[in-house]
Amino acid sequence: GGGTTPEMLTSVCDADEIFENFSKTIGLLFFNGSFELEFEPNPRRANTMRRYHHIGIPTTEAKPGETHLKHLKVFVVSHEKSDFGVEWMRFEADAAVPDLVRQVPHVAFEVADLASELAGREILIPPNSPSDGVRVAFIVENGAPIELLEFTDPNHPARQQIPTT
């Protein structure tokens, strides 16, 4: 056909044309007349294991329950206090943190091998160890800061445990 319009996306009878036009980049799975978009995997992710850890949101306002990490010159409300891993960060004026981290929320992922994840990436904050048993680094991905965490201690208290139900 001549392309897919927004109106066509709402009609189940046009599913064949949708699939034809987008199958190279988007897979469509149909369930009871509705569909869900599933993006094809990025080849760079093929052999990596990343698990969501938290989202860090910079703020200039004091938040209830924040802890002052004097050595980092930041006030933090830990992601561990949130069911969804929300971490608030308020930086002191002279904290050694790039503006991108001060101004833009970051998503953090636990990775199995920090060094291999950093290969070929734009490193914003080089690998460091904020506490025993964990190494972290920040990269820039699509203009956004991303934190990568590698736990060298599998029982580290900040490590996200997978529920066994």
Side-chain angles (χ1 to χ4, degrees):
T4 303
T5 65
E7 294 80 23
M8 294 167 81
L9 291 174
T10 62
S11 173
V12 174
C13 64
D14 294 311
D16 289 338
E17 186 167 349
I18 292 169
F19 186 76
E20 178 185 334
N21 289 334
F22 293 112
S23 64
K24 290 182 180 155
T25 55
I26 300 175
L28 298 176
L29 304 175
F30 291 88
F31 300 102
N32 297 326
S34 65
F35 62 89
E36 172 183 313
L37 296 179
E38 181 180 283
F39 294 92
E40 285 194 18
N42 179 334
R44 185 172 180 131
R45 297 185 205 161
N47 295 318
T48 59
M49 201 307 263
R50 298 181 191 125
R51 187 167 55 173
Y52 170 81
H53 191 266
H54 69 269
I55 182 169
I57 305 172
T59 183
T60 56
E61 299 174 8
K63 297 286 182 185
E66 67 183 15
T67 300
H68 187 207
L69 304 176
K70 292 179 186 178
H71 65 292
L72 298 175
K73 299 186 177 186
V74 63
F75 296 83
V76 175
V77 177
S78 174
H79 66 279
E80 295 172 359
K81 294 182 178 182
S82 166
D83 288 344
F84 295 95
V86 175
E87 171 187 78
W88 290 99
M89 306 170 307
R90 182 169 58 94
F91 299 99
E92 293 182 30
D94 60 343
V97 176
D99 285 344
L100 190 61
V101 175
R102 285 179 183 268
Q103 299 167 1
V104 178
H106 71 269
V107 178
F109 294 94
E110 181 180 336
V111 298
D113 182 359
L114 184 61
S116 68
E117 288 283 353
L118 295 176
R121 303 252 186 211
E122 180 183 348
I123 298 175
L124 185 62
I125 298 176
N128 62 86
S129 184
S131 65
D132 288 339
V134 64
R135 291 182 42 210
V136 303
F138 278 76
I139 61 171
V140 178
E141 173 71 20
N142 244 3
I146 304 292
E147 182 178 8
L148 302 173
L149 302 98
E150 176 187 56
F151 289 97
T152 55
D153 174 0
N155 298 316
H156 191 282
R159 186 162 191 250
Q160 300 290 335
Q161 300 301 319
I162 298 174
T164 55
T165 50

